[in-house]
Amino acid sequence: MTINKKSSRRIKVRDDSYIWTVSPNDGYIIVIVEHEVSRGNRLEIYITSDIDSVWVKFPNTEHLNLKIVRPKDVEFFIFQALDLGWIPKVKGKPVVFDFNGLKITRRLS
């Protein structure tokens, strides 16, 4: 399954173009990245977040972990994933990582 171009953003890293989007999940937000042209295996970064809890606890949200993902964060994730062996132009299973606030690490199944 590929990322919908209408709901994604474009970013250029190391002379390659990628598209990315953020998908909320229960207790996480997931940053999903694919190479824009070859659409090989996708990169998924799980970030712990209380984003789904906002609507339950609104307006008392000051204690929640509400991570905002910016383009510079996505660039950082792509650089790290490439250095850790992600090959975005080759078809295959998604490469999945967790983000601990400082770096990404392979997600254990």
Side-chain angles (χ1 to χ4, degrees):
M1 184 195 254
T2 60
I3 298 174
N4 182 341
K5 281 194 175 191
K6 288 183 181 180
S7 63
S8 65
R9 297 188 63 184
R10 187 171 181 248
I11 190 166
K12 193 164 188 151
V13 176
R14 292 185 182 164
D15 295 325
D16 277 312
S17 293
Y18 299 89
I19 56 173
W20 65 278
T21 190
V22 176
S23 177
N25 198 340
D26 190 28
Y28 294 96
I29 53 176
I30 306 168
V31 177
I32 303 168
V33 182
E34 290 180 346
H35 192 272
E36 187 175 33
V37 177
S38 63
R39 301 287 176 103
N41 62 352
R42 69 174 25 181
L43 172 64
E44 297 178 1
I45 309 290
Y46 282 72
I47 304 169
T48 302
S49 173
D50 294 325
I51 197 86
D52 290 343
S53 301
V54 172
W55 305 116
V56 176
K57 298 178 182 179
F58 188 80
N60 303 317
T61 60
E62 57 277 345
H63 68 284
L64 297 176
N65 172 17
L66 302 177
K67 171 69 175 150
I68 303 296
V69 177
R70 298 180 179 100
K72 68 179 182 176
D73 298 321
V74 175
E75 180 182 40
F76 174 75
F77 297 150
I78 292 171
F79 274 123
Q80 282 199 352
L82 290 168
D83 290 345
L84 291 170
W86 176 49
I87 306 171
K89 296 178 183 177
V90 175
K91 297 270 186 212
K93 292 182 180 181
V95 178
V96 184
F97 293 93
D98 284 311
F99 179 61
N100 67 9
L102 299 174
K103 65 180 182 175
I104 62 173
T105 56
R106 290 265 184 189
R107 186 175 191 119
L108 302 174
S109 300

